[in-house]
Amino acid sequence: MSAQPAKNIAIELREIRKTFGQQEVLQGINLKVKEGKTTVIVGGSGQGKSVIIKHMLGLIRPDSGEIQVYGQNILTMSNKEKSEVRMNFGVLFQGGALFDSLTVYDNIALPLRERTKLKEEQIRYRVESKLEMLDMPGVGSKYPAQLSGGMKKRVGLARALMLDPKVLFLDEPTTGLDVKRSKEIYRLFASIQAKLSFTAVIVSHDAPKIFKLADYIALIADGKIQGCLTPEAFQLSDNSYIKNFVQETMGDIYRG
Amino acid sequence: MSAQPAKNIAIELREIRKTFGQQEVLQGINLKVKEGKTTVIVGGSGQGKSVIIKHMLGLIRPDSGEIQVYGQNILTMSNKEKSEVRMNFGVLFQGGALFDSLTVYDNIALPLRERTKLKEEQIRYRVESKLEMLDMPGVGSKYPAQLSGGMKKRVGLARALMLDPKVLFLDEPTTGLDVKRSKEIYRLFASIQAKLSFTAVIVSHDAPKIFKLADYIALIADGKIQGCLTPEAFQLSDNSYIKNFVQETMGDIYRG
Amino acid sequence: MKSRIGIETLVGLFMIAGFACAVYLTVKLGDVPLLANQTYELSALFSSTSGLKKGAQVEISGVKVGKVASIGLDPVTYSSVIKMAVEQNVKIPEDTIASIKTAGIIGDKYVELKPGASETYLKSGEKIRDTEGSLDLEGLVSKYIFEKKE
Amino acid sequence: MKSRIGIETLVGLFMIAGFACAVYLTVKLGDVPLLANQTYELSALFSSTSGLKKGAQVEISGVKVGKVASIGLDPVTYSSVIKMAVEQNVKIPEDTIASIKTAGIIGDKYVELKPGASETYLKSGEKIRDTEGSLDLEGLVSKYIFEKKE
Amino acid sequence: MKSRIGIETLVGLFMIAGFACAVYLTVKLGDVPLLANQTYELSALFSSTSGLKKGAQVEISGVKVGKVASIGLDPVTYSSVIKMAVEQNVKIPEDTIASIKTAGIIGDKYVELKPGASETYLKSGEKIRDTEGSLDLEGLVSKYIFEKKE
Amino acid sequence: MKSRIGIETLVGLFMIAGFACAVYLTVKLGDVPLLANQTYELSALFSSTSGLKKGAQVEISGVKVGKVASIGLDPVTYSSVIKMAVEQNVKIPEDTIASIKTAGIIGDKYVELKPGASETYLKSGEKIRDTEGSLDLEGLVSKYIFEKKE
Amino acid sequence: MKSRIGIETLVGLFMIAGFACAVYLTVKLGDVPLLANQTYELSALFSSTSGLKKGAQVEISGVKVGKVASIGLDPVTYSSVIKMAVEQNVKIPEDTIASIKTAGIIGDKYVELKPGASETYLKSGEKIRDTEGSLDLEGLVSKYIFEKKE
Amino acid sequence: MKSRIGIETLVGLFMIAGFACAVYLTVKLGDVPLLANQTYELSALFSSTSGLKKGAQVEISGVKVGKVASIGLDPVTYSSVIKMAVEQNVKIPEDTIASIKTAGIIGDKYVELKPGASETYLKSGEKIRDTEGSLDLEGLVSKYIFEKKE
Amino acid sequence: MVTALGAWTIKQLNDLGRVGRFLLRCLFQIIVPPYKLWPMVQQIHFIGAASVFVILFTGTFTGMVLGLQGYYSLRQFGSEGALGAAVGLSLVRELGPVLTALMVTGRAGSAICAEVGIMRNTEQIDALTCMAINPYKFLFAPKFLAAIICFPLLTSLFDVTGIVGGYVIGVKLLGVNAGAYLEGMYKSVVWEDVYMGMIKSLCFAVIMVWICASKGYYLHLNKAGFGAEGVSRATTQAVVLSSVSILVCDYFITAILL
Amino acid sequence: MVTALGAWTIKQLNDLGRVGRFLLRCLFQIIVPPYKLWPMVQQIHFIGAASVFVILFTGTFTGMVLGLQGYYSLRQFGSEGALGAAVGLSLVRELGPVLTALMVTGRAGSAICAEVGIMRNTEQIDALTCMAINPYKFLFAPKFLAAIICFPLLTSLFDVTGIVGGYVIGVKLLGVNAGAYLEGMYKSVVWEDVYMGMIKSLCFAVIMVWICASKGYYLHLNKAGFGAEGVSRATTQAVVLSSVSILVCDYFITAILL
Ligand SMILES: Nc1ncnc2c1ncn2[C@@H]1O[C@H](COP(=O)(O)OP(=O)(O)OP(=O)(O)O)[C@@H](O)[C@H]1O
Ligand SMILES: Nc1ncnc2c1ncn2[C@@H]1O[C@H](COP(=O)(O)OP(=O)(O)OP(=O)(O)O)[C@@H](O)[C@H]1O
Ligand SMILES: [Mg+2]
Ligand SMILES: [Mg+2]
């Protein structure tokens, strides 16, 4: 729990608890996401990373605790206020969440069509430049079901970036991609971040590689954030969970 | 295309061609799987690895070419003969292919129930020992939908191993598992292989780690097997595809 | 998936077919006249219109020439007043006789007009003077039997 | 999934209430007059109302002026007592004759009122004195045939 | 879950109370005969009950007062024995005449009771002595025609 | 998911309920006698059984006592031979008269037995001697009218 | 796909041939009138065609020989004019009598032609002179009863 | 997905053939006798067969012995010619009378044969000479009433 | 025990209320601008145009069965002439709206439920929310509008093909008088019958979309199961519930309007 | 062009033949041992027992609607007494088997198709084949048997509840003579009607399982689409095709047996 007071705080979770059925997934999460920085959340499968992101988006109500987005409590907001806050968000869901009854083009154009009053040519230009940027020219007329897994991730990313959001949430952007493709995604992310300097929350399993991208790394284990540190500090941390994690992901395959 | 004549050949593909719609996926595959050895097939996503395995299993008919399993041509067999050949197979599908209307226990017990005349207690003993072995005691009563992805893989593995098959086909046994779990799977595989010395065909993306397990590695690219070599020979091969593959998977993240 | 134009064509065709059917149902089966003003109204006073329903046919020689537009009770004479909408192109002489008849034995009641020889024709809103109310079959039969007994 | 009482509960209650009302209306009142008080009640004693049903029409000259509200048995005279709800705007003279008739040959029974000439009108709750019960056609026919034989 | 016990308990109690009320209302006020004994049985011997069905109505002056509970054959006289369940509150004098009638021309058969003047009433299980069986219309007609011929 | 025993209970209940309904349909509606041997057979020769169908009722005084088992043509006399299955517990005297009747005006034909006074009863397989065929109403009517004309 | 062109072409040809045959058979041998002109038209004036509907049958001796094509009102005589489409191969003598009849008692009305002895046959468009309109049963019955009373 | 002609094609052809047969049987033959040749054909000339339909029953004493195979018009006498398919095992004497009757009052028409005493039996294709056409009830009634009036 | 009953009651009420609010919100979103035509046209294509084939088929066969059975029943009373009236009345009043609604529910209703359920399952609905797009307006308003437009049209198609089917069987095959069939039908079917049929089909349209869409939309609150199985079960439930509701509603409308 | 037509014809024939062979294989696997009871019991539970509620509901309401409409129609002829006969005949002959089959198709048929389709999609059928287990025996034989057992029972339930529904409306609410209702029904419904209803329900059982299972089984040969969408489309097609086939079959059985 980095104690630096500097920089503005974009999102803050305070003592969030959440139980699904019998299983207490979040047991008091405290996490501050700093503005303009990239925070990476890591942790074992099924530990609650995606659940944390959904809390930040206001899609799940916590059992207890407080969530503040730019200082406003998202839990007490009306639907309309929430809607306004979300105008600033760009989200890549773990499963892609593409609209499978729409073509790739319509998927990416959707936020523009529904939220802006741009003309159809302007939309076309913007969508096509995004597809170009993500190395997928000409797939606009395909349906999500006709894409490979990696292409789906990239379309989701394009949609998330469409309205130049102030806060970007990416849930496992590179899982299921081959090594070459995931490298490309990371490079793209770094370049856009440099240009727009948005706030980013990223969830990833791709542990050693993602460290290069992160400003802060948070490990979730046993329903708690075990630490939110800079990559360097993270690798040297004393916390036994973090120590284990670092060793597992960077160690050898066969112990014996 | 290793030219060693020694050892018996379990499965042989000769000039297999297969077209789906417009896309010619296999453009003349030649591959020999040696008895008692582990052959690993690697290659980019969507190159046709799973399709090769399905050809070996006789689930897909090639457009042209020949498939021999223990010297018999599987394409000209009657349904009954095919059924007999398959008695020796154990298969882990890429998607798991668990029967989601059956419990985990029934899933694993199914081959025993339908193919042997064992009593219910014997079946129970065998199934539970397998679950124990794969570190999943007590999940027998759950349904596949209630399992995490890794557990599904492991249940599929248990089912494949149930009847002590002579030939084992594993399609991406560790994809989607975290680093720790995939290590465990590899260790388990090595120990069973040592005990039963079956023939194995494994498809995997987990490129550097899987090399330790393999007797032969085959790279598929552009619809052809670019080489089927021992791990050492593979890493040193001159073939440009293989060279690229080795460099990509073992190289650095950021080139620039 | 079909193209946008294909879908629009299909939807258009569907809507046209559906509407055609709906219009058929409404006009043919539902007797809703889409073109108004082709009828004029006559009225008539009957001693009884028992069984006659609004919308019943008005016939001359068995040919339909209009229908019953309304049935009301004259509050003074307690007789039944009906208004008929008769087709414009059928002229009704003023000495026409209107009677309530039954179609077949168990059929519906209808109004039969027996045109007279007069050359003066009734105008819209005028009244037919000679009328015969519905036959009280039951009454007749019982009367017939009782009289016989005496 | 906690049971919280809020808007949704209210909406739920409202829906149940609405549905209950629909069911009640359908089952109980069938032909409920949404605006009450437009009828007044007359009663009449018949020797027989065989075939008459609650809700049957009350007609004058074939025009509907009300309906049968209830049918009961007089425990002393064993005759049938019916109550009719007659429309407010129809005045029934006190010397009116009520008879049970059949619509057509196989139709429903209804009550026909034949208003007399009296200028005194019946008030709500009063009784029509002159009545004719339903015709026993079967009886008549058999009587007719037997008498012939003699 | 949480301390909403108050509300939930209240709602639960309310439901139980409501349910109890509904049952009470249904049984007491509605015509639901959870408690039997509201009818008593009379029997009658007919020469013919052709066309009469179990469950047919028993009427006095056209008002339903019970129904036919069973129809059987007297093994000795070969006449038809019917048992009627008559409503408790209707008293049937001992000189009542029971006859089998037809509702309308093609309707169902029913039993009509014509109460006599006697002040002695039939008790449950007793027999109505004066009866008239169903009319054999066909027979009558053929007889009528044949006799004419002679 | 329910447990094995739960499923079996449900399936069992379902099968029982379904079978009960099927049996009801078959026995009550389909008239299939599940318990045989309760009837004995009588035959009769009619001049005409026009309109009578296999399975038609056999009645005494309007009470069903059996049904028509078969209808055939006597190849020599060209008269109609019917076999009736009569209930065991109903004894038919040998001087019984069998006639074909119509239920109501438009109803089905049935066989009516009018038992005589004889104390000798018919045994299974025996023949009823006195019979009356179906009435040819049409013929009668036309005859009636023609004779009148003369 | 592949060089199976042989078989596929054959099957295609076969299908086309079969389809052609089917169409030929349907048109030529079936009664599908793709080619009209198989009927000719006769007209007739009736005093009343009450109950007759467009499309009703035209029969000779009970055999269908055509149908009613249209029913209209003669604006001068107020009589009903019907046009009949009669089958080409049935010749109608000029002294034929056309009458409106009822099938059975409650059946539909139809036109019956009673051919005369003339050897001159009516040509398309000609008129049948002798006609009998529909019978007014109700009128007859009431007349019958009234006359009796006198 | 290549078009291969194999077992599946055969099975497909077989299914289509089966379906076509089912349709053909249903539409064309309806009541097809699966075993032919059990009937022989008789013909008869009637003055009127109004109401008789193809397939109507042919009865002796009310027992079905065949059916009407075809109804046609004799182009010269304008009388109706019917062909009957009579069961092989029923012999029809040559002096048999054929008449068109109505089942009940509103039922279907059928052909009744009244066998004579002759020992010469009709052979297939022969003609029944004595016939009585359908009764024109309506005509009779109107005649009856008119004659009365005179 | 009492508490449990109370909790259960409140839960049921909440479920019902949620679904009720769902309908209100959808209807509200139909009314407020902006109106978009294209999504509605697509839905009309899906619900209406794509159902035409089934409707024509079922209509024809229903009419044929009605004709066949009606003929044999009416023959007993000697009034084959009333066949047109019988076929016309049963189709227009009862079978037309009900069978159309049932068929479309089976075809389009299940697809709507599955589609919305899959959208819920694959977080597409969450994605919509996060993009600040109103799902009621975006997803459901066009469906409601399309259903309201399509059902009466499909019902009309069904009625007409049914009448034709009955005509083919009755008049062409069984020899009923053509005039009696058509004129009898025209005479006995009155505007009230057509009107009742239309009212019914409108109600059924709302019921169908309402139940199918809300079952899909509230998939995550349903304990039916997860993933594909959950969707398939919700779909089954939705189809069953819609069909039952359609029949219940049919009964009440018939009882009230008759 | 001619070639294309030929190819198309052969393809259609093949599709049909494949489906025909599917049925033959399933029926063959029903006959050959070993017989296993438990899978069949499970399927009876799924197809039959789980459908009881819908059937009771639809049955009751169908009966009520029939009672209501029959009453108003029959009253015109003054023969309310024939209500029982009318309700009984329509239910036993026509509506019972058909509506039961349609409801069960909507409920269980769609689920069968989706289940088999998902098994095909997630390679579960391939897995079965690779384990040398006959899918016809393992998957389909129990379904066929269960359907053949369940349909007549469900139809009986439907008929009986429908009759009760008609009784409640006709006798209790509208005052039809109870004796006339029941006795009239007993008299006019004969064994042939019950028999015809049962024959129908057996045919419908086979049709339903056949079409729904084969649509799922041959999902991969169908160009309907991939993944969830393919399954949902195949399900829709299966339900539509079954419903239509049921109606067609109903027509032919009625025409042949009447
Ligand atoms: N809607 C829900 N209902 C019940 N349990 C849930 C729900 N959502 C999440 N869970 C449970 O919460 C836990 C955390 O889920 P979450 O998706 O956050 O894991 P994760 O850390 O994102 O894992 P992964 O790396 O696989 O994405 C899991 O055990 C899951 O079973
Ligand atoms: N049934 C099918 N129909 C059409 N195309 C198919 C089919 N099966 C596979 N393909 C195509 O064949 C190609 C090879 O697929 P395959 O599943 O063998 O890839 P893979 O090498 O196993 O990839 P991955 O690493 O993602 O498993 C893909 O492009 C896929 O689109
Ligand atoms: Mg996650
Ligand atoms: Mg693969």
Side-chain angles (χ1 to χ4, degrees), chain E residues 46-52 71-73 75 77-81 105-106 109 136-139 141-142 144-146 148-149, chain F residues 59-63 65 89-93 100-102 105-106 109-110 112 115-116 121 135 137 140-141 143-144 147-148:
Chain E
F46 288 86
S47 62
S48 167
T49 56
S50 185
L52 193 74
I71 304 176
L73 187 70
T77 61
Y78 293 106
S79 55
S80 175
V81 186
I105 294 186
I106 51 172
K109 301 270 173 181
D136 179 1
L137 218 90
E138 206 183 26
V141 167
S142 77
Y144 174 71
I145 291 175
F146 278 118
K148 212 139 203 187
K149 284 198 279 186
Chain F
E59 297 186 356
I60 295 179
S61 302
V63 183
V65 298
N89 56 345
V90 177
K91 285 177 195 145
I92 310 292
I100 314 287
K101 297 255 164 151
T102 312
I105 294 185
I106 52 170
K109 302 270 172 180
Y110 64 93
E112 173 154 325
Y121 298 106
L135 197 69
L137 218 90
L140 276 180
V141 167
K143 221 174 261 169
Y144 175 72
E147 261 151 46
K148 212 138 203 188

Side-chain angles (χ1 to χ4, degrees), chain H residues 45-65:
Chain H
L45 240 85
F46 288 86
S47 62
S48 165
T49 56
S50 185
L52 193 75
K53 279 174 194 154
K54 213 183 118 181
Q57 295 203 353
V58 176
E59 298 186 355
I60 294 179
S61 301
V63 182
K64 187 187 171 184
V65 299

Side-chain angles (χ1 to χ4, degrees), chain J residues 66-216:
Chain J
L66 277 179
L68 205 67
Q69 288 224 298
Y71 176 78
Y72 286 107
S73 317
L74 288 170
R75 206 167 66 164
Q76 293 174 6
F77 294 97
S79 43
E80 293 98 328
L83 185 64
V87 171
L89 276 180
S90 351
L91 276 176
V92 171
R93 269 200 206 151
E94 225 19 73
L95 291 175
V98 171
L99 282 185
T100 304
L102 290 183
M103 293 315 296
V104 177
T105 303
R107 213 201 67 78
S110 60
I112 287 178
C113 180
E115 185 196 332
V116 177
I118 289 175
M119 289 186 79
R120 168 62 77 188
N121 247 3
T122 55
E123 298 173 313
Q124 293 179 42
I125 296 203
D126 290 341
L128 271 185
T129 320
C130 290
M131 283 191 246
I133 297 171
N134 188 327
Y136 295 97
K137 172 124 224 143
F138 181 73
L139 284 179
F140 303 124
K143 289 197 210 302
F144 270 99
L145 279 176
I148 287 172
I149 292 171
C150 289
F151 268 61
L153 297 183
L154 288 174
T155 303
S156 305
L157 277 172
F158 188 100
D159 290 350
V160 170
T161 49
I163 287 168
V164 171
Y167 184 88
V168 168
I169 291 298
V171 176
K172 294 284 166 197
L173 268 182
L174 298 172
V176 169
N177 198 320
Y181 183 91
L182 285 180
E183 291 287 330
M185 191 170 66
Y186 294 158
K187 214 158 143 190
S188 62
V189 179
V190 294
W191 166 237
E192 277 71 29
D193 298 318
V194 179
Y195 172 76
M196 186 165 104
M198 292 298 142
I199 292 283
K200 278 186 180 177
S201 67
L202 288 179
C203 293
F204 297 164
V206 173
I207 287 177
M208 188 278 268
V209 179
W210 181 16
I211 291 179
C212 291
S214 64
K215 270 275 170 195

Side-chain angles (χ1 to χ4, degrees), chain C residues 4 10 14 22 24 26 29-30, chain I residues 38 45 52 154 156 186 189 191:
Chain C
R4 183 157 179 155
L10 280 176
F14 161 69
Y24 171 81
T26 314
L29 296 181
Chain I
W38 175 235
H45 175 253
V52 167
L154 288 173
S156 304
Y186 294 159
V189 179
W191 165 238

